[in-house]
Amino acid sequence: MSDQVNGLPEYPTWPELKLPDLLQSEVVQQVHATIEKEWDFLQRSACQTAAGRALWKHVTHDPLAELLAGESYLINLHEKIKKDCLKNATEISGVILAVRTLWFDSRIEDALSSSNGRESQVVLLGAGMDTRAYRLSCLKDSDVFEVDFTEVLQVKMTILQAAKESAYDSQHIMSKAKSLTRVAADIRENDWLEKLQIAGFLPNKNTIWVLEGILYYLINSQAMQVLKLLANQCTLTHTVVLADFMNKSSTMLSNSTFHFYSDWPDHLLPSIGFTHVKLSQIGDPDAHFGLLNDPLNLFNKLRSLPRSVQTHPDDGTPCRRLYLVEASGSPDQGAAHQGSVAQS
């Protein structure tokens, strides 16, 4: 799709929604009916994320996302996108999910290609409907672990199995990872790391931890417990954490289901043991991907303001930010960091 503006194919139109036949199968329909009736907001967020990846598949290249999202989430987001196109919106619904997905993809690939990264384990906490093990060839030498609620993993496996047994394109449902292990665990509890190790995770092997779209659903004590556990891994082996953080204003939307926030994650993470932290905002050169070309879009307006500003001076609206953060540490770096602190 050439000639894209703000990530739109042939702006200001958007392709009509064509649902895959498999979504109409009895098995898949029953699964998505169960999701609607029984899942809570946190579990359903996995389907909302999948819908975003599905409708932006011209950039995310996630062919399984539409099956995992389900018909209702696809239709709802498609309607929002069409309305945005009609009014020539400066940012289109779902673009933040597309940019976030591409940022995580690129950082995973870069981490695996680094000198410390080859053959690293990759752990996706709150994996939801993530399909990176099926679409990222850079995982070919990595043992991948997906951690999530039992119900989420079971639904995901049921849909993928239905795809395997149908005429769905088989190349999309072959794992590209060296191995893929699903671990039923709740990261809000105290036993998830133990369950991960029982499943084959090696705590002394270099690891990339992926926390996409999950931290802000946790309360502060739960999120900090997870982050401190990961920081402690830096004392054992080279550890990379990829995560997104909301600032305080982002969690204060009406009817918000968000809790944990950090206005300064690039200060928070070093304070608990990470030695290198890089922070980006949506729209930065490494978090843009050609999808945010309108200088008047929300993200560019926010980037022009100091991060300490909580209210936009032009219109008085809260400055709601999403930070994309890469943090890392290792035993050698930790010792050097402690030595430099002692000398200072």
Side-chain angles (χ1 to χ4, degrees):
M1 297 180 182
S2 56
D3 193 21
Q4 292 185 1
V5 180
N6 290 345
L8 282 167
E10 300 175 11
Y11 189 87
T13 63
W14 195 272
E16 285 302 310
L17 181 60
K18 296 180 181 178
L19 298 174
D21 293 339
L22 189 56
L23 273 181
Q24 306 305 318
S25 71
E26 184 178 354
V27 170
V28 176
Q29 283 197 327
Q30 285 179 348
V31 165
H32 282 293
T34 299
I35 290 172
E36 289 301 311
K37 285 190 286 188
E38 299 180 8
W39 282 19
D40 63 20
F41 66 90
L42 177 53
Q43 294 167 320
R44 290 197 301 271
S45 71
C47 296
Q48 293 167 346
T49 298
R53 290 177 179 148
L55 292 178
W56 285 80
K57 62 184 177 184
H58 57 287
V59 293
T60 62
H61 307 296
D62 191 343
L64 292 171
E66 54 192 358
L67 297 179
L68 296 165
E71 183 174 351
S72 62
Y73 291 100
L74 291 171
I75 291 174
N76 288 342
L77 181 56
H78 191 258
E79 287 300 314
K80 292 179 182 177
I81 288 174
K82 287 200 299 184
K83 290 177 182 176
D84 289 341
C85 293
L86 287 172
K87 64 183 182 183
N88 289 350
T90 55
E91 58 274 334
I92 305 300
S93 294
V95 69
I96 193 169
L97 279 172
V99 170
R100 192 182 76 180
T101 298
L102 294 172
W103 183 88
F104 275 89
D105 287 354
S106 66
R107 301 319 302 147
I108 291 169
E109 184 172 4
D110 287 350
L112 287 171
S113 64
S114 70
S115 58
N116 289 317
R118 293 189 197 91
E119 301 183 7
S120 290
Q121 302 169 114
V122 177
V123 183
L124 298 106
L125 296 182
M129 300 303 183
D130 191 289
T131 63
R132 288 187 169 92
Y134 296 89
R135 60 183 182 80
L136 295 187
S137 57
C138 63
L139 297 171
K140 61 183 174 60
D141 297 320
S142 294
D143 296 309
V144 176
F145 298 86
E146 295 182 350
V147 181
D148 213 320
F149 300 117
T150 302
E151 302 90 337
V152 174
L153 296 179
Q154 286 177 341
V155 159
K156 186 176 185 179
M157 288 187 287
T158 298
I159 294 173
L160 293 176
Q161 184 60 36
K164 284 183 181 179
E165 295 172 357
S166 73
Y168 205 76
D169 194 337
S170 60
Q171 68 172 325
H172 299 321
I173 45 181
M174 296 285 291
S175 173
K176 296 185 183 331
K178 179 182 176 183
S179 70
L180 173 59
T181 304
R182 294 189 170 99
V183 183
D186 184 344
I187 64 170
R188 298 172 298 185
E189 304 296 338
N190 296 321
D191 60 352
W192 66 266
L193 187 54
E194 179 185 357
K195 289 180 177 179
L196 185 59
Q197 292 181 30
I198 291 171
F201 170 78
L202 302 175
N204 292 309
K205 186 174 182 179
N206 293 356
T207 305
I208 300 167
W209 299 85
V210 180
L211 291 81
E212 181 183 9
I214 186 65
L215 282 174
Y216 27 82
Y217 287 102
L218 310 180
I219 62 173
N220 185 76
S221 60
Q222 294 165 346
M224 287 305 302
Q225 177 177 271
V226 169
L227 291 172
K228 287 176 180 178
L229 274 172
L230 301 186
N232 188 57
Q233 294 297 116
C234 296
T235 66
L236 302 176
T237 188
H238 182 71
T239 299
V240 175
V241 171
L242 305 173
D244 54 329
F245 292 76
M246 287 184 174
N247 70 344
K248 184 176 182 179
S249 295
S250 296
T251 64
M252 300 182 72
L253 293 161
S254 60
N255 302 317
S256 174
T257 54
F258 305 128
H259 304 286
F260 175 72
Y261 69 87
S262 177
D263 290 317
W264 302 95
D266 44 340
H267 297 174
L268 170 67
L269 295 174
S271 75
I272 60 174
F274 292 97
T275 51
H276 292 90
V277 178
K278 181 183 178 184
L279 177 145
S280 301
Q281 295 188 68
I282 301 290
D284 280 351
D286 67 335
H288 186 287
F289 305 100
L291 303 181
L292 299 165
N293 296 312
D294 191 323
L296 297 179
N297 75 59
L298 170 65
F299 310 108
N300 284 333
K301 288 169 66 177
L302 288 174
R303 288 172 56 241
S304 67
L305 296 172
R307 285 166 53 198
S308 57
V309 175
Q310 298 294 319
T311 303
H312 202 290
D314 291 347
D315 54 18
T317 57
C319 293
R320 299 187 176 105
R321 302 174 187 266
L322 183 72
Y323 298 124
L324 304 170
V325 181
E326 177 179 5
S328 63
S330 66
D332 293 343
Q333 293 171 347
H337 178 68
Q338 288 180 349
S340 66
V341 171
Q343 289 174 7
S344 62

